[in-house]
Amino acid sequence: MDSIKHTAKNGAGRDSGGRFAPGCHGGPGRPKGSANSLLVQARQWVEARGLPMMIEAAEGGDMDAARLLVTLAMPKVKPVAPPLECLKDMPMPEKDKDLGPVAVFLLGKVREGQLAVADAEAVYEMAKRATAAQGIGRPFKLEPIEFELG
């Protein structure tokens, strides 16, 4: 059988195999984010039967069900950058022995509620790495590079 390619000009838009011919796009398709019928049915089942069963199990003492319900009900909190102005007076360590005052400073900011514990730990780790890098003895300055434009 002869496979004749149809084009948008002659109106058919498909070849004899049912494929779209060159120059004939397949149309807009399903809108982005729309659900297919199987997903819609699954969501309806979860709302109608699944969640009530999970709630009943959690109320009956099933801690896994309770944990899952709490996980689904509580959105994840995105980390927020700490306010950097609270760190402006932090002592800058040059050697390992200078890390003590940094730790005391950060603990004070945590106690005052200006810095979260995880943020204080991250800042302390950065200070530790900075002192270790300074002990290597390599300069971290880049010499300027001159270019000739020609």
Side-chain angles (χ1 to χ4, degrees), residues 2 9 26 39 46 66-67 87 92 95 99 104 134 143:
D2 190 357
K9 290 178 185 171
L39 184 57
V46 167
R67 188 177 303 114
L87 300 176
M92 297 307 289
K95 299 181 180 174
L99 288 171
V104 170
Q134 289 176 4
E143 296 298 324

Side-chain angles (χ1 to χ4, degrees), residues 25-42:
H25 61 82
R30 184 171 41 213
K32 190 172 188 170
S34 67
N36 63 27
S37 62
L38 186 61
L39 184 57
V40 170
Q41 289 174 359

Side-chain angles (χ1 to χ4, degrees), residues 96-122:
D96 284 346
K97 66 179 183 167
D98 300 334
L99 288 171
V102 172
V104 170
F105 175 84
L106 293 171
L107 285 172
K109 294 300 178 184
V110 169
R111 185 177 54 243
E112 294 167 6
Q114 294 182 359
L115 200 59
V117 173
D119 294 332
E121 288 173 346

Side-chain angles (χ1 to χ4, degrees), residues 5 20 89 96:
K5 300 264 183 179
F20 286 105
D89 297 328
D96 284 346

